[in-house]
Amino acid sequence: MTIFRNGRRRAASALALTTVLALTVTACGDDGSGAAGDKGNEGSGKGEITFWDNNGGVRTDVWKEIIKDFENANPDIKVTYVGIASTEVQSKYDTAIQGGGLPDVGGVGAAMLAGIAAQNALEPLDARIESSALKGKLNAGMVESVKSAGGQGKLFTVPTSASNGVLYYRTDLFRAAGLEEPTTWSKFYAAADKLTAKDKNRFGYTIRGGAGSIAQALDAMYGQSGITSFWNGDRTTVNDPKNVAALEKYVGLFKKNTPAADVNNDFTKMVAQWDSGEIGMLNHNLGSYKDHVKALGTEKFRGIPNPTTDDGTRVQVSNPVDGLGLFSSSKNKAAAWKFIEFAASHQSNSKWNESAGAIPANTEAAQDAWIQKAEPTKLAAEVLFSGKAAIVQLPYYLPDWNTISKADNEPAFQKVLLGKSTAKEFLDGLAEQLNTAQAEWKSQNK
């Protein structure tokens, strides 16, 4: 098995792709601010800055609204928007870090934060926040999560939102079948069976087998096993026998209670399939809530926190906090910081999170009335901050976490779904990579 060492293979891959992807980024309208290691400067606080949206297409409209508001308030600053699909943003950043063309400001989720920060591409923001209107206005838990994810104890992004895993279920189908709300894993599996009628193209569940599958599988594993820590000493718990058994049960749903096409499901396909078909349940995060309302209204579905064990124990994995980073190579950091402050302010942060159905990082925005009306967001926020749920903190601080949990193991998970590998083989391989990455990280941070 190939083991990642300090991101070298990822960096080499990025270098190989530099020419092609740099051209792609330029074609998107980015005039770039440089490569990692460039010191940049504060600039005049006026002129043009470039912003990369790390969920382009999905969140383009709301970002363009915020940018318009910002430019109206700051007529001497022009923001060039570049929307990048979430599935491509890691490679775009890696390529620009090596070859130039980084933006001034970019959306950076916690899952990829350590790898970017380790290459000196991001400006630490602690001092800027201390002298900013944002001081004391950012959720303390999200701030600590971002600091931990960066791996250096510094704040490399201003947190903007958090999202929880949600179990969406069709209330109309549950009522017709006489089923209880799937609040426990036992009820979840019973409902998946009862709602499946393959001859009528009806399925109890849709599983994520494509991009993004690992995080969802981990959430299902730890939620069932009840294991509350990702590490036991210096060894990961992902291949603990209880987690192996939980994953075996979860992947057993594939083709039995799910469509066979689910093996290639990314979130877009999965959400579209659930919204348009007769599938009973879907695991996703708060980000798809508005899509479900648009497709189904509010009477045919409900979004609740992921199931508990039969004794009521709730364990879930941490979801990466999203944030805005100021790139060190920016030639106009003063203007870029003004944009970050504006985007993370009460009004803008509330507007963005209402559009996404996510939990705002701005504490004033988190009190706004819309949250009480968006039931899944309200319930998720209650779970996240109630102290009653055990949160398994994923090791976002490992520079290679994003690569290990995506490119390296998503194809391996598909083999498990297809019966070409076992759950134990998959988790043992994942554990080997994680244990090695953890040991290397610790040796570098003594």
Side-chain angles (χ1 to χ4, degrees), residues 96-439:
I97 285 169
Q98 299 299 324
L102 281 167
D104 300 280
V105 179
V108 182
M112 67 179 70
L113 182 57
I116 295 174
Q119 299 176 78
N120 300 314
L122 289 167
E123 188 95 345
L125 301 175
D126 307 76
R128 291 181 190 266
I129 287 177
E130 278 299 303
S131 58
S132 162
L134 294 175
K135 182 179 179 179
K137 300 291 179 65
L138 298 173
N139 179 281
M142 294 190 202
V143 168
E144 285 307 309
S145 179
V146 168
K147 281 188 176 181
S148 174
Q152 300 177 37
K154 299 176 183 178
L155 199 64
F156 286 108
T157 63
V158 172
T160 53
S161 66
S163 189
N164 272 24
V166 177
L167 179 62
Y168 294 104
Y169 74 97
R170 289 284 298 269
T171 51
D172 55 342
L173 301 182
F174 270 68
R175 280 194 298 268
L179 288 165
E180 296 181 63
E181 188 171 66
T183 53
T184 67
W185 286 102
S186 294
K187 291 177 182 177
F188 166 83
Y189 283 109
D193 270 335
K194 190 163 185 179
L195 292 171
T196 299
K198 291 183 182 179
D199 58 331
K200 298 178 181 177
N201 203 33
R202 295 176 185 169
F203 298 93
Y205 185 61
T206 176
I207 199 168
R208 190 167 184 166
S213 60
I214 305 302
Q216 184 168 302
L218 291 174
D219 218 1
M221 279 166 41
Y222 282 95
Q224 293 174 81
S225 71
I227 295 171
T228 58
S229 176
F230 195 80
W231 300 103
N232 181 8
D234 290 332
R235 312 292 291 178
T236 181
T237 58
V238 293
N239 60 337
D240 182 284
K242 290 181 181 178
N243 275 334
V244 173
L247 186 61
E248 286 173 344
K249 190 165 187 179
Y250 181 68
V251 299
L253 294 167
F254 179 64
K255 287 179 36 174
K256 175 175 175 279
N257 301 121
T258 80
D262 282 6
V263 69
N264 293 312
N265 266 354
D266 58 11
F267 87 91
T268 306
K269 294 174 185 172
M270 186 173 61
V271 167
Q273 179 174 262
W274 191 73
D275 286 347
S276 62
E278 291 196 37
I279 297 175
M281 295 176 290
L282 159 76
N283 273 113
H284 194 232
N285 57 41
L286 295 167
S288 59
Y289 173 64
K290 290 292 184 71
D291 295 321
H292 307 321
V293 171
K294 192 179 297 182
L296 301 168
T298 57
E299 302 301 319
K300 291 184 178 180
F301 82 97
R302 193 172 184 221
I304 61 174
N306 282 346
T308 68
T309 60
D310 287 343
D311 65 4
T313 300
R314 186 182 300 284
V315 179
Q316 61 188 53
V317 301
S318 57
N319 276 262
V321 174
D322 208 9
L324 294 172
L326 173 59
F327 282 86
S328 303
S329 57
S330 171
K331 302 298 191 294
N332 199 349
K333 293 177 185 176
W337 175 247
K338 284 181 185 178
F339 178 66
I340 292 175
E341 277 187 301
F342 186 90
S345 67
H346 177 179
Q347 183 177 354
S348 298
N349 192 238
S350 185
K351 178 181 286 190
W352 191 95
N353 281 281
E354 183 176 9
S355 173
I359 303 167
N362 186 292
T363 53
E364 293 174 334
Q367 303 302 314
D368 286 351
W370 67 263
I371 291 180
Q372 300 303 313
K373 298 175 184 176
E375 186 187 42
T377 304
K378 177 175 178 286
L379 294 175
E382 289 172 357
V383 166
L384 193 61
F385 303 121
S386 68
K388 296 179 180 178
I391 309 295
V392 177
Q393 296 294 339
L394 298 181
Y396 301 123
Y397 57 85
L398 295 177
D400 284 320
W401 165 255
N402 209 42
T403 307
I404 290 172
S405 65
K406 290 182 179 292
D408 242 26
N409 282 289
E410 286 173 353
F413 181 68
Q414 288 180 319
K415 290 181 180 178
V416 180
L417 291 176
L418 296 170
K420 296 178 180 179
S421 178
T422 68
K424 185 176 188 308
E425 289 169 342
F426 167 72
L427 292 176
D428 282 346
L430 177 60
E432 182 183 351
Q433 290 176 291
L434 289 165
N435 291 336
T436 300
Q438 173 80 342

